[in-house]
């Protein structure tokens, strides 16, 4: 209740915590039983259904609705291109630039915009047109132009909603990704996936609602902080769970040699008792999280091996994703895993592909980077579509910002670099009730400024939440005396992009 | 449990009053009995021996009952009649000590004192019983019920008009009655807005919940939830939907203020006539099939559970109107829908099986149920879903084994709009695939996902017959060759076979950079 933050009376706080403990007791009762999911879910339902009283009353009010209105998308697969791919070489076709090769970017275009320290010292800003050929693919409008680097993705242009008018406030990787993921450049807010987990809960109690998969790139790789998928001030159990490649997909999940599953059960029961005693003493909500996570891990010991075992995938499917799919930890393997997670009811699947930060040698780096993602991401879309999953899975692809039209460093006909560019860049979405086969928004002739239909990060988040069944202004969490939202105080649902 | 230091001992002790008070009653009866059997010489010695123990217990228990009663009264503001009970109780406690003194002194006064005590304990007990069970609790079965006086204006109107048009809302009826033209055309019932339960709740909160609520249930009656009202108290159900006259809570509220049974008690806040009318209209127009939000009392005194901060922000508010599922018409009868606690238990049982159950929107009764991460055995489905069969609009059964009974059940679900049968199999697959014949008659089915599910021959015929089907996913069903026929029969049906990559429409000629002008 609100009082906890607003009312500093320690007795009142204590009373609330006592009740809170009572509240967790509902879950704890069943934890030791055969079906620990009962406790988990009844707990989840209490939290998500709003009033706990409603749950105890037993009529239909007991059942959480979770969403504000019927959802178009049941889950999100977010393909985050870490480092920020160049929109000019992939999605934002600017053939006119070819005539301006190596000319100075007109000051009227840049208009005094701030630059990063990496190019602010440059004496000139020569225009670097893309050296890649573009092709026009059929969509539901007059076609979409995509670069030769994305032939597979292009061939599915009729499924994509390409947004060429994204803009962000941040100019460096860390705050920009933080902004995209949490709605704020300043760390500490919950990640999108955590909001999803908080709002929607899982539809599979054996897997976390928010899963993170990371693949390495070939280009310049920026660090990925774990807090990108952190739960901020939400309960720790809403944090993203990273699934790794190799023998231990989830760290510390495997039992040590000689430990049997029943031993693990007994250990969990005992530790659970101690934790409960500690919680009774300290009222620390993190202890409750700890108990829940222990139980989740116990269930994941069964569900994760089945998840990562690809032996039931057909040869045709594997082939569709390309040769890398057999190498665990690649983007291809992660895309396949994402589809398997989607099938199993995971709500938010966050992939990171590192290596897009091409300040120099962009042509060679982006060629290899694109090769890593193009076929697998197209295969993911096709795989989802043929399983009838694309209609309620929202796939989002994009970096944290764009790249400059002018070259960073030396510009030659076969080599150039591009610096960070937050003012205009491209992303795409597919499925989940987003209109397929359209291109939205437009940039100027230099691809530098947006001239039509700008889309802010908060707009994108509001739209995604809308598809998940949430009014972004009402999915809130009270913390430190105010209600927080993913979209902070902004965001507009882009109704024009939605399937009516 | 609370920690000891936080417990309000006085409060805890006061709640023992209903237990403790029975000890003196029983002891007095027993002491009298001992006195009576003492006429037999053989029993006299034993009776005397027993008396000492009993009298000493009386000396402890009577003051204890009195003190707990006193505290109970302090803690809650009972109405005035408690005064009498209070002083009777205190008197009885003192009297018990005097009686004990007489016994231990061997005084002759013991016997008359005991009889006097019995009178006193009867008076006190009867007075206390009346406080909790209400006036006439003892006598009611013996005397003819006094007919409540004919209710006043709005009620009279509604009673009259009820003869003219059963089930019409009271507001309309009042008009009819005052116009004195029973033949006037009846307004369609749907035109009169139903009273939201929230309003009812907020009216009753001030009037009733202090004594009939979560915390206190005078006369065994709570009124703070619809379920509690239906369950009623010592005098039976308090609420009968559609019948204000049979709804006891309303009946007592409408009694004249000087009537003994009038509620709320005269000294408490009295309802405004509009408020009575609102409650009446609610009772009249509700069929009882609506979903009544369970509203937690705003009074912070007794929160049973603390809710996570921020929770309130996304329940209770109405969803965006344009996104709402069409509300279920009130006259519709979900015959099998379980009520009350059964429902809660029912959903927990589904959840315990790892099924995902969720309402599709806050104001909707429609359900999305997904068994894809649950272990579901063939043939289990009809039994599991029977209680909610009319509410399931979306059902996920991917990767499950089904049998014919399951499929027949699926075909009979009246509201099922979206069915996910991805990679499902037929039980002990006898070579044939899933037979969809039973789905052919579904009127509600709009989206059907059969991707990766082997289908029995003839299934496409069944699919073609599903009247309102809009989308069907058929990749990997082994029936690709029959698709042209399906397309011919159902040209508007969207058949999803996955997304097919398309060749580029045009390719840019080789990239050439043109240096229009050199610049340094």
């Amino acid at each position: 209740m609100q009082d906890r933050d607003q009312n500093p009376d320690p007795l009142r706080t204590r009373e609330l915590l006592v009740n809170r403990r009572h509240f967790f007791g509902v879950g704890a009762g069943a934890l030791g039983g055969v079906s620990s999911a009962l406790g988990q879910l009844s707990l989840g339902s209490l939290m998500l259904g709003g009033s706990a009283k409603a749950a105890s009353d037993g009529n239909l009010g007991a059942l959480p609705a979770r969403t504000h209105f019927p959802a178009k998308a049941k889950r999100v697969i977010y393909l985050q291109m870490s480092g920020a791919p160049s929109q000019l070489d992939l999605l934002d076709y600017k053939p006119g630039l070819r005539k301006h090769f190596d000319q100075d970017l007109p000051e009227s275009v840049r208009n005094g915009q701030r630059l990063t320290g990496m190019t602010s010292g440059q004496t000139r800003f020569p225009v670097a047109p893309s050296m890649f050929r573009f092709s026009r693919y059929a969509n539901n409008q007059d076609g979409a132009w995509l670069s030769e680097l994305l032939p597979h993705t292009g061939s599915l242009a009729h499924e994509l909603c390409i947004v060429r008018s994204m803009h962000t406030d941040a100019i460096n990787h860390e705050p920009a990704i933080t902004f995209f993921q949490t709605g704020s450049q300043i760390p500490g807010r919950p990640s999108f996936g955590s909001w999803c987990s908080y709002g929607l809960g899982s539809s599979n109690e054996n897997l976390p609602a928010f899963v993170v998969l990371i693949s390495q790139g070939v280009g310049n790789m920026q660090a990925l902080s774990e807090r990108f998928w952190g739960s901020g001030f939400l309960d720790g159990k809403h944090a993203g769970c990273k699934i790794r490649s190799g023998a231990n997909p989830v760290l510390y999940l495997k039992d040590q040699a000689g430990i049997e599953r029943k031993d693990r059960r007994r250990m969990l029961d005992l530790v659970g008792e101690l934790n409960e005693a500690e919680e009774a003493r300290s009222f620390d909500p993190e202890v409750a999280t700890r108990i829940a996570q222990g139980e989740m891990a116990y269930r994941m010991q069964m569900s994760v091996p089945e998840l990562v075992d690809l032996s039931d995938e057909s040869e045709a499917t594997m082939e569709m994703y390309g040769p890398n799919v057999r190498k665990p930890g690649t983007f291809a393997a992660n895309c396949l895993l994402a589809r398997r997670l989607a099938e199993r009811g995971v709500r938010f699947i966050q992939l990171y592909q590192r290596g897009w930060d091409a300040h120099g040698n962009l042509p060679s780096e982006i060629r290899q980077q694109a090769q890593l993602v193009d076929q697998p991401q197209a295969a993911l879309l096709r795989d989802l579509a043929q399983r009838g999953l694309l209609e309620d899975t929202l796939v989002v692809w994009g970096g944290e910002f764009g790249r400059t039209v002018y070259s960073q460093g030396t510009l030659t006909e076969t080599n150039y670099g591009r610096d960070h560019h937050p003012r205009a860049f491209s992303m795409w979405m597919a499925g989940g009730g987003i209109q397929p086969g359209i291109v939205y928004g437009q940039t100027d002739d230099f691809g530098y400024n947006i001239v039509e239909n700008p889309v802010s990060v908060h707009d994108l988040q509001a739209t995604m939440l809308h598809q998940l069944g949430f009014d972004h202004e009402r999915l809130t969490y009270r913390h430190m005396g105010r209600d927080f939202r993913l979209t902070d105080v902004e965001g507009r649902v882009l109704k024009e992009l939605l399937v009516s | 449990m609370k920690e000891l230091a936080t417990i309000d001992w006085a409060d805890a002790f006061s709640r023992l009053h209903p237990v403790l008070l029975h000890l003196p009653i029983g002891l007095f009866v027993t002491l009298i009995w001992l006195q009576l059997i003492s006429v037999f010489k053989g029993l006299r010695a034993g009776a005397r021996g027993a008396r000492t123990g009993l009298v000493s217990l009386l000396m402890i228990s009577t003051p204890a009952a009195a003190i707990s009663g006193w505290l109970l009264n302090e803690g809650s503001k009972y109405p005035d009649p408690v005064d009498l009970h209070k002083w009777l109780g205190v008197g009885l406690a003192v009297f018990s000590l005097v009686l004990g003194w007489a016994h231990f002194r061997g005084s002759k006064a013991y016997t008359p004192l005991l009889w006097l005590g019995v009178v006193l304990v009867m008076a006190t007990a009867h007075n206390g019983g009346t406080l909790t069970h209400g006036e006439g609790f003892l006598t009611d079965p013996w005397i003819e019920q006094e007919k409540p006086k004919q209710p006043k204006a709005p009620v009279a109107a509604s009673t009259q008009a009820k003869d003219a048009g059963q089930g019409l809302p009271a507001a309309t009826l009042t008009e009819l009655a005052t116009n004195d033209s029973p033949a006037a055309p009846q307004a369609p019932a749907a035109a009169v807005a139903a009273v939201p339960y929230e309003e009812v709740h907020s009216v009753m909160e001030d009037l009733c919940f202090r004594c009939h609520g979560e915390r206190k249930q005078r006369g065994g009656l709570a009124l703070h939830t619809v379920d509690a009202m239906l369950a009623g108290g010592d005098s039976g159900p308090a609420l009968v939907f559609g019948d204000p006259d049979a709804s006891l809570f309303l009946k007592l509220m409408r009694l004249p203020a000087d009537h003994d049974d009038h509620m709320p008690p005269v000294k408490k806040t009295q309802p405004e006539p509009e408020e009575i009318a609102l409650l009446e209209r609610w009772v009249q127009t509700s069929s009882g099939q609506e979903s009544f939000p369970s509203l937690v009392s705003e009074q912070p005194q007794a929160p049973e559970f603390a809710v996570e901060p921020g929770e309130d922000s996304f329940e209770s508010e109405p969803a965006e109107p344009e996104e709402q599922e069409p509300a279920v018409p009130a006259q519709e009868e979900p015959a099998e829908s379980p009520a009350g606690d059964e429902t809660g238990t029912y959903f927990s049982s589904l959840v315990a099986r790892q099924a995902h159950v969720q309402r599709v929107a806050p104001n909707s009764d429609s359900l999305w149920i997904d068994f894809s991460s649950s272990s579901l055995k063939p043939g289990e489905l009809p039994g599991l879903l029977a209680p909610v069969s009319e509410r399931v609009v979306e059902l996920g059964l991917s990767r499950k084994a089904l049998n014919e009974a399951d499929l027949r059940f699926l075909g009979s679900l009246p509201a099922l709009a979206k069915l996910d049968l991805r990679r499902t199999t037929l039980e002990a697959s006898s070579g044939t695939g899933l037979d969809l014949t039973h789905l052919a008659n579904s009127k509600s089915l709009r989206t059907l996902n059969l991707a990766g599910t082997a289908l029995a021959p003839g299934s496409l015929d069944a699919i073609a017959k599903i009247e309102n089907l809009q989308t069907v996913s058929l990749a990997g069903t082994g029936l690709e060759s029959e698709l042209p026929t399906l397309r011919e029969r159902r040209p508007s049906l969207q058949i999803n076979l996955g997304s097919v990559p398309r060749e580029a429409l045009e390719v840019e000629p080789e990239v050439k950079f043109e240096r229009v002008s050199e610049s340094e």
Side-chain angles (χ1 to χ4, degrees):
Chain A
M1 306 229 164
Q2 310 183 355
D3 314 52
R4 197 195 300 182
D5 299 313
Q6 290 168 346
N7 186 351
D9 173 4
L11 284 177
R12 173 91 181 115
T13 309
R14 187 180 174 86
E15 189 188 330
L16 283 166
L17 282 167
V18 168
N19 283 317
R20 182 189 160 82
R21 173 150 161 61
H22 186 77
F23 171 78
F24 275 107
V26 178
L31 285 184
V34 180
S35 167
S36 44
L38 174 60
Q40 276 291 305
L41 249 205
S42 60
L43 179 61
S45 338
L46 289 179
M47 316 235 301
L48 297 162
S51 119
K53 190 70 185 60
S56 65
D57 268 358
N59 58 21
L60 200 56
L63 198 62
R66 295 167 193 269
T67 58
H68 297 127
F69 34 82
K72 294 285 191 302
K74 293 211 169 78
R75 61 198 81 81
V76 172
I77 299 179
Y78 194 122
L79 309 174
Q80 211 281 331
M81 299 296 121
S82 164
S86 161
Q87 75 281 9
L88 295 164
D89 298 281
L90 298 174
L91 296 168
D92 200 4
Y93 180 46
K94 294 292 167 195
L97 284 182
R98 307 261 157 76
K99 291 196 229 58
H100 297 284
F101 178 76
D102 207 16
Q103 284 177 1
D104 283 328
L105 179 68
E107 183 52 39
S108 62
V109 173
R110 184 162 77 87
N111 208 6
Q113 194 220 350
R114 69 169 172 169
L115 302 175
T116 72
M118 290 166 282
T119 53
S120 57
Q122 276 185 205
T123 49
R124 55 182 295 260
F125 300 101
V127 168
S130 177
M131 61 170 285
F132 300 103
R133 286 162 87 177
F134 277 65
S135 303
R136 188 165 68 92
Y137 294 92
N139 67 358
N140 295 335
Q141 296 169 335
D142 53 359
W145 288 90
L146 280 90
S147 113
E148 61 179 293
L149 299 175
L150 299 174
H152 291 92
T153 312
S155 71
L156 293 175
H158 54 283
E159 300 287 359
L160 306 182
C161 166
I162 299 173
V163 179
R164 285 179 174 157
S165 49
M166 287 300 303
H167 62 94
T168 177
D169 299 345
I171 199 167
N172 277 315
H173 301 286
E174 185 88 4
I177 299 181
T178 307
F179 189 39
F180 254 103
Q181 306 249 264
T182 71
S184 165
Q185 292 188 52
I186 300 162
R189 305 265 180 99
S191 188
F192 201 140
S194 302
W195 280 108
C196 257
S197 169
Y198 163 69
L200 293 170
S202 179
S203 50
N204 180 350
E205 295 310 308
N206 299 323
L207 287 170
F210 177 18
V211 169
V212 174
L213 303 164
I214 297 171
S215 46
Q216 311 303 325
V218 289
N220 183 23
M221 289 198 276
Q222 293 294 337
L224 289 175
S225 306
E226 294 243 348
R227 58 176 167 70
F228 288 155
W229 52 94
S231 59
F233 42 70
L234 296 178
D235 194 314
K237 71 178 184 188
H238 298 302
C241 172
K242 189 164 76 174
I243 295 191
R244 303 149 49 100
S245 57
N248 269 325
V250 177
L251 282 181
Y252 316 118
L253 195 60
K254 216 173 185 170
D255 288 328
Q256 299 291 317
I259 306 245
E260 310 247 329
R261 193 160 162 79
K262 64 174 194 312
D263 300 329
R264 168 70 64 180
R265 182 67 264 165
R266 285 176 54 212
M267 190 206 85
L268 274 175
D269 288 344
L270 181 61
V271 172
E273 270 173 45
L274 292 171
N275 276 335
E276 274 176 44
E278 170 60 17
E279 203 207 346
R281 192 189 66 79
S282 68
F283 301 120
D284 184 349
E286 289 300 315
V287 179
T289 298
R290 181 87 196 169
I291 298 171
Q293 297 296 67
E295 293 297 331
M296 172 60 86
Y298 180 72
R299 296 194 299 276
M300 284 172 71
Q301 288 187 326
M302 301 302 275
S303 61
V304 168
E306 190 267 343
L307 169 76
V308 299
D309 174 15
L310 305 182
S311 56
D312 61 343
E313 295 291 340
S314 74
E315 200 49 45
T317 304
M318 300 295 272
E319 220 161 85
M320 189 162 65
Y321 283 87
N324 281 340
V325 76
R326 297 182 196 279
K327 283 187 226 153
T330 60
F331 186 75
N334 284 353
C335 278
L336 179 58
L337 209 47
R339 194 223 73 213
R340 293 175 68 87
L341 286 162
E343 278 181 318
R344 282 160 180 75
V346 173
R347 298 296 202 164
F348 202 97
I349 304 150
Q350 173 95 43
L351 272 68
Y352 294 92
Q353 170 62 46
R354 302 175 67 193
W356 291 99
D357 193 22
H359 288 278
N361 298 324
L362 184 137
S364 78
E365 281 188 11
I366 202 171
R367 195 186 289 279
Q368 295 173 74
Q369 285 286 123
Q371 203 170 13
L372 287 179
V373 302
D374 180 44
Q375 189 178 351
Q377 71 198 18
L380 173 63
L381 294 179
R382 288 174 62 191
D383 207 3
L384 289 172
Q386 83 180 19
R387 284 161 199 264
L389 282 171
L390 188 56
E391 63 168 13
D392 54 16
T393 305
L394 176 56
V395 184
V396 180
W397 184 99
E400 59 268 34
F401 37 65
R403 305 206 79 89
T404 54
V405 65
Y406 63 80
S407 176
Q408 174 177 356
T410 323
L411 169 66
T412 70
E413 293 196 15
T414 54
N415 200 6
Y416 46 88
R418 297 190 193 277
D419 197 6
H420 305 169
H421 186 59
R423 265 197 196 179
F425 58 103
S426 306
M427 294 183 68
W428 57 256
M429 290 182 273
I434 301 286
Q435 274 194 50
I438 61 168
V439 176
Y440 183 79
Q442 204 182 327
T443 53
D444 63 16
D445 293 343
F446 291 89
Y448 202 94
N449 294 301
I450 295 165
V451 295
E452 195 184 288
N453 296 329
V455 177
S456 73
V457 174
H458 288 130
D459 293 342
L460 179 80
Q461 290 163 340
T463 309
M464 290 169 70
L465 283 178
H466 181 271
Q467 294 309 87
L468 288 164
F470 293 113
D471 176 347
H472 70 101
E473 294 182 356
R474 287 198 278 140
L475 178 63
T476 61
Y477 189 90
R478 182 158 283 252
H479 172 64
M480 300 212 308
R482 65 165 270 208
D483 287 334
F484 281 87
R485 315 185 332 219
L486 175 60
T487 51
D488 204 359
V489 295
E490 290 170 78
R492 175 180 81 87
V493 175
L494 303 162
K495 297 242 175 189
E496 56 273 34
L497 298 189
L498 311 182
V499 177
S500 49
Chain B
M1 283 293 285
K2 295 186 192 183
E3 270 185 42
L4 295 185
T6 65
I7 294 179
D8 181 351
W9 290 105
D11 179 51
F13 182 63
S14 74
R15 287 164 193 245
L16 291 177
H17 182 64
V19 176
L20 291 173
L21 66 88
H22 292 99
L23 286 171
I25 298 173
L27 288 167
F28 269 108
V29 170
T30 319
L31 289 170
I32 287 291
W33 183 245
L34 291 179
Q35 207 66 21
L36 291 177
I37 61 172
S38 296
V39 299
F40 302 104
K41 274 221 170 85
L43 296 173
R44 196 169 294 164
R48 228 190 137 70
R51 210 166 86 181
T52 303
L54 293 174
V55 168
S56 54
L57 183 55
L58 184 75
M59 291 171 75
I60 299 167
S61 63
T62 316
I67 292 168
S68 63
W70 183 289
L71 291 170
L72 189 62
N73 185 40
E74 289 293 302
S76 59
K77 303 282 169 273
Y78 275 93
D80 284 343
V82 173
D83 260 334
L84 177 63
H85 181 65
K86 181 162 75 182
W87 295 118
L88 279 172
V90 171
L92 189 64
V94 174
F95 191 87
S96 299
L97 297 174
V98 174
L99 187 71
W101 173 82
H103 165 71
F104 286 110
R105 281 289 303 268
S107 163
K108 284 226 159 50
Y110 173 80
T111 309
L113 278 175
L114 181 61
W115 285 103
L116 191 58
V118 168
V119 174
L120 197 54
V121 83
M122 278 175 70
T124 316
H126 177 70
N127 189 257
T130 307
L131 285 176
T132 48
H133 299 299
E135 204 81 56
F137 179 72
L138 271 180
T139 51
D140 275 353
W142 304 91
I143 45 178
E144 210 180 326
Q145 271 297 337
E146 192 188 347
K147 285 262 178 278
K149 288 170 199 168
Q150 196 55 258
K152 288 181 288 186
V155 189
S158 93
T159 342
Q160 274 179 31
K162 229 171 84 177
D163 304 327
Q166 174 71 31
L168 273 189
T172 326
L173 301 169
T174 314
E175 286 165 29
L176 284 178
T178 41
N179 290 344
D180 207 15
S181 52
Q186 295 172 1
V192 177
V195 180
Y197 173 62
E198 285 87 332
E199 276 184 55
V200 172
H201 189 273
S202 81
V203 166
M204 293 182 63
E205 186 161 22
D206 293 330
L207 296 170
C208 318
F209 296 177
R210 202 177 291 275
C211 299
H212 304 288
E214 200 174 358
R215 188 149 199 212
K216 207 181 286 176
Q217 296 89 36
R218 304 290 304 277
L221 174 67
L223 297 168
H224 64 298
T225 66
V226 171
D227 287 350
M229 291 173 84
L230 291 169
D234 298 340
S235 316
L239 169 65
V240 180
F241 278 118
D243 194 349
D245 293 321
S247 296
L248 195 60
F249 86 101
L250 202 52
K251 196 163 107 183
L252 298 187
M253 287 174 86
R254 293 190 314 208
L255 287 174
D258 58 352
H259 192 283
D260 281 347
D261 291 339
H262 174 82
M263 279 286 162
V266 200
K267 290 184 179 174
K268 308 275 175 175
T269 319
Q270 294 299 310
E272 301 295 330
E274 298 83 5
E275 291 178 319
I276 296 269
L278 177 120
L279 297 178
E280 206 166 60
R281 208 161 68 239
W282 174 66
V283 173
Q284 181 86 54
T285 55
S286 301
S287 67
Q289 304 299 349
E290 301 89 334
S291 71
F292 296 103
S294 176
L295 304 164
V296 185
S297 166
E298 309 232 313
Q299 294 157 340
Q301 51 210 29
E304 285 274 302
F305 300 99
V307 179
E308 283 281 286
E311 291 303 328
D312 0 24
S313 41
F314 79 100
E315 177 71 346
S316 69
E317 289 171 87
E320 283 184 3
E322 78 264 28
E323 299 282 356
Q324 273 178 30
E325 286 280 293
V328 183
Q331 51 272 52
E332 197 175 285
E333 288 229 327
E336 289 166 307
S337 72
D341 282 340
E342 284 170 34
T343 326
T345 322
Y346 170 71
F347 287 127
S348 328
S349 74
L350 280 188
V351 166
R353 301 185 56 114
Q354 315 261 25
H356 179 78
V357 193
Q358 149 176 359
R359 291 187 328 194
V360 299
N363 294 343
S364 168
D365 276 353
S366 303
L367 299 177
W368 165 34
I369 301 184
D370 197 321
F371 285 98
S372 51
S373 62
S374 155
S375 55
L376 185 73
K377 290 188 202 77
E380 272 190 310
L381 203 56
L384 271 176
L385 293 189
V388 290
S389 60
E390 315 211 354
R391 294 194 198 150
V392 180
V393 293
E394 190 172 345
L395 186 57
L397 293 168
S398 77
R399 308 196 295 168
K400 293 283 150 306
L402 305 176
N403 68 14
E404 213 198 322
D406 292 324
L407 288 163
R408 189 178 306 123
F409 177 71
L410 291 176
S412 75
L413 291 174
L416 183 64
K418 194 170 176 189
L419 179 58
D420 183 355
L421 291 176
R422 264 178 302 134
R423 295 169 72 192
T424 46
T425 49
L426 201 62
E427 180 191 21
S429 192
S430 50
T432 64
L434 213 61
D435 185 356
L436 298 179
T437 322
H438 295 300
L439 294 181
N441 293 324
S442 170
K443 298 273 181 289
S444 54
L445 204 55
R446 280 177 173 68
T447 308
L448 180 58
N449 189 345
L450 293 162
T453 297
L455 295 180
S459 283
L460 287 197
D461 179 56
I463 292 171
K465 283 183 185 153
I466 304 174
E467 207 172 301
N468 292 309
L469 193 65
Q470 291 166 354
T471 312
V472 61
S473 294
L474 287 174
T477 50
L479 291 181
E480 283 75 3
S481 58
E482 298 176 36
L483 287 179
T485 331
L486 181 60
R487 286 209 176 87
E488 218 168 89
R489 287 178 63 184
R490 295 289 298 273
S492 64
L493 180 65
Q494 209 180 324
I495 302 174
N496 173 25
L497 295 169
S499 196
V500 185
R502 298 182 193 171
E503 290 292 312
L505 298 172
E506 58 179 305
V507 182
E508 202 181 21
E510 206 167 329
V511 173
K512 277 200 190 104
F513 296 135
E514 301 160 39
R515 276 178 206 262
V516 177
S517 65
E518 289 285 332
S519 52
E520 262 309 300

